[in-house]
Each structure stands twice: as C-alpha cells, then as structure tokens.
Amino acid sequence: MVIAVAGKGGTGKSTIAALLVRSLLLQDKKPILAVDADPNSTLGDFLDIKYNCTISDIIEETKGLRNLPDGISKPTHLEYQLQQAITESRGVDLLVMGRPEGPDCYCMANNILRGYLQKIVANYSYVVIDNEAGMEHLSRKTSQNIDHLLLISDATIIGLETARRIKELIDKMPFLNIRNKNLIVNKVDSGTILANAEQITGLNLIAILAHYDELSQQNDSPISKLDNNSASIKSIIHLIEKL
Ligand SMILES: Nc1ncnc2c1ncn2[C@@H]1O[C@H](COP(=O)(O)OP(=O)(O)O)[C@@H](O)[C@H]1O
Ligand SMILES: [Mg+2]
C-alpha cells in the first residue's frame, strides 16, 4: 500500500508521515519504506534514523566521476549507489531525496527517485512518502501509483482553500494514479467547528487530528520518543484502520 502525504508547508506532513510509520511498526505492518521526497528533509530526524547519503549526494558524486571501473556503466553504477542510499532500520527502510543543487539536478533527482521507487515498492508492505507541498516532482514521465493521498490542512478557511488548490493541481497530473484522495485537518483546537471542509476542498475528510502538546514540544525527535500509548499515535492507528 502506497500512502503519500502532501499539503502546505507547516501543516504537519512530516509529523503525520512519521506517525504513520511508527503506528504501522507498532502494528507489525512491515516491511515499510519511508521516503522523504521533500528537499527540506526532516523525516529521518522525526523517525530518529541516521542516514549516510541522499539521492542528491549520489548525483553530485556521479557527476564528478570520470572513470568507472571497466565494464560498469553509469546506470549500473547509479543503481548500486541507490541501494546504498537506503538506510535499513528495525522494520523500516528510509530513502531520502535530499536537496538537489540547481534546477537540472532537481529534475534528475526526481526522475531517479521515481524510477527507483517504481522498482522497489513491491518489496514493501507499506510505502509512506513525505512530499513537498504539491506532488509536482512525482508527476512527470514515470507513472506513479498511490493508494491513498493524504492532503493535510490546518483548520482555517485559507488553509482549506489552499488544500483545494493543491488538489486541483494534483488532479491535472496525468501520471499520478491516485485511488483515494483524502483530507486530514490537523492541529484542531477543541471547539473549532469544521463545517464544509469537504465542500471547500472536494476531498473526503478522513481524519481530524487535535493539536497535541506532545507533538508541539520542540525537541529533536518528538515522534521517535513518543510513548506507544500517546494520544497522537492512537489517532493515527485509528486513521490506518480507515484506509
Ligand atoms: N497535531 C499536531 N499538534 C501539535 N503540533 C503539531 C501537530 N502536527 C504538527 N505539529 C507541529 O507543527 C510543526 C510543523 O510540522 P511538520 O510536520 O514539520 O510540517 P510540514 O512537514 O508540513 O512542513 C512542527 O513543529 C510539528 O511538531
Ligand atoms: Mg516536512
């Protein structure tokens, strides 16, 4: 099952992606591949997984390479390097795109990420992709199957309208095959009334997540340190049941 998380910066994409990974692990739903496709990479920190290299690092290295060992082509070399970019950690593997240098590299990093993803998704029971705001980078050339898109918004009209715009952009991306498009309204204070969220966004409202103090505390890796019984993990387990 491929789950992709999208939405405006700061809405809680990486937090929710990391909570999904932790909750799936808790339920023994593995193996899991966690993909950080946002150049502003935070998923590894949230999951407390240290990684050695990113796809962008590999591109930089390969660029500088003049002589490959005899008989090894650049694609073969790249494939080998990409395997090295997967960090294995207790039931979850992490693949990080990193920050490509310049627009050409950005494009190349995304092409490589998509091509490689297509090859390896079948090896995993669950793939969780933490994206940039929209999913422009996943939408070119190579078709990408996504079972559940989770578009994250805050509980404001402006936030919901932004989610609608992102949804409309995603609808126009021909290479994305998305089975279900869902809305999550995140950081909702008690008492907030969320009428019309589905009408505004055109999305199926699958979860309303509270503002959890346990998540907003500014420590280094809040998600990996959360207690198994914490309220935010419970609510994400509930969400997974609905997928
Ligand atoms: N439900 C929540 N309750 C409280 N704080 C949250 C919640 N979800 C996210 N946050 C906080 O909001 C901030 C932005 O979250 P983050 O996941 O980094 O957003 P994004 O990846 O969309 O940019 C972080 O400080 C995070 O701890
Ligand atoms: Mg993020």
Side-chain angles (χ1 to χ4, degrees):
M1 183 189 285
V2 179
I3 305 170
V5 184
K8 191 162 68 81
T11 49
K13 293 183 296 293
S14 305
T15 302
I16 289 170
L19 282 168
L20 279 165
V21 170
R22 267 217 57 183
S23 306
L24 289 166
L25 274 177
L26 257 180
Q27 297 180 302
D28 225 19
K29 294 185 167 158
K30 33 185 201 193
I32 305 165
L33 175 65
V35 181
D36 190 341
D38 188 340
N40 182 20
S41 321
T42 56
L43 192 59
D45 286 343
F46 284 11
L47 290 169
D48 203 17
I49 300 177
K50 309 257 175 304
Y51 53 91
N52 286 326
C53 82
T54 66
I55 291 177
S56 302
D57 294 338
I58 292 171
I59 290 171
E60 284 306 306
E61 270 171 39
T62 315
K63 263 204 272 180
L65 271 185
R66 291 237 167 68
N67 300 313
L68 289 170
D70 281 347
I72 296 184
S73 65
K74 259 200 174 175
T76 311
H77 179 74
L78 188 64
E79 175 89 34
Y80 172 77
Q81 295 287 313
L82 282 169
Q83 280 161 27
Q84 312 299 308
I86 292 197
T87 308
E88 295 176 12
S89 162
R90 304 145 305 196
V92 51
D93 288 356
L94 175 70
L95 179 62
V96 181
M97 187 179 81
R99 189 175 287 283
E101 289 179 21
D104 289 350
C105 289
Y106 181 81
C107 233
M108 196 194 295
N110 285 314
N111 288 343
I112 291 169
L113 174 64
R114 283 196 312 273
Y116 195 53
L117 262 185
Q118 261 199 339
K119 272 195 188 159
I120 61 172
V121 282
N123 300 339
Y124 297 91
S125 304
Y126 290 84
V127 177
V128 178
I129 311 175
D130 181 15
N131 290 287
E132 291 178 79
M135 298 206 293
E136 302 86 340
H137 55 295
L138 283 181
S139 66
R140 296 190 199 103
K141 291 183 199 157
T142 329
S143 70
Q144 184 77 49
N145 290 323
I146 292 167
D147 296 293
H148 300 283
L149 167 69
L150 304 176
L151 236 165
I152 320 297
S153 171
D154 56 27
T156 64
I157 298 288
I158 291 176
L160 291 168
E161 279 169 353
T162 307
R164 186 199 66 225
R165 274 199 296 279
I166 296 174
K167 184 227 173 230
E168 285 169 355
L169 288 175
I170 291 173
D171 281 344
K172 287 185 196 140
M173 295 175 183
F175 292 101
L176 283 182
N177 304 320
I178 304 177
R179 202 150 59 81
N180 294 303
K181 291 180 187 137
N182 301 295
L183 170 70
I184 294 180
V185 186
N186 188 28
K187 305 193 220 184
V188 179
D189 292 316
S190 59
T192 305
I193 297 164
L194 271 177
N196 300 334
E198 290 190 328
Q199 285 89 326
I200 294 172
T201 57
L203 291 157
N204 167 48
L205 178 60
I206 196 166
I208 297 171
L209 302 178
H211 187 283
Y212 296 109
D213 285 341
E214 66 202 33
L215 297 179
S216 61
Q217 281 157 11
Q218 298 295 320
N219 58 41
D220 289 343
S221 46
I223 312 298
S224 61
K225 286 180 189 144
L226 283 178
D227 191 89
N228 286 349
N229 292 316
S230 58
S232 57
I233 289 188
K234 278 190 184 149
S235 62
I236 296 290
I237 287 177
H238 185 60
L239 162 68
I240 292 169
E241 282 162 6
K242 290 202 213 161
L243 292 178

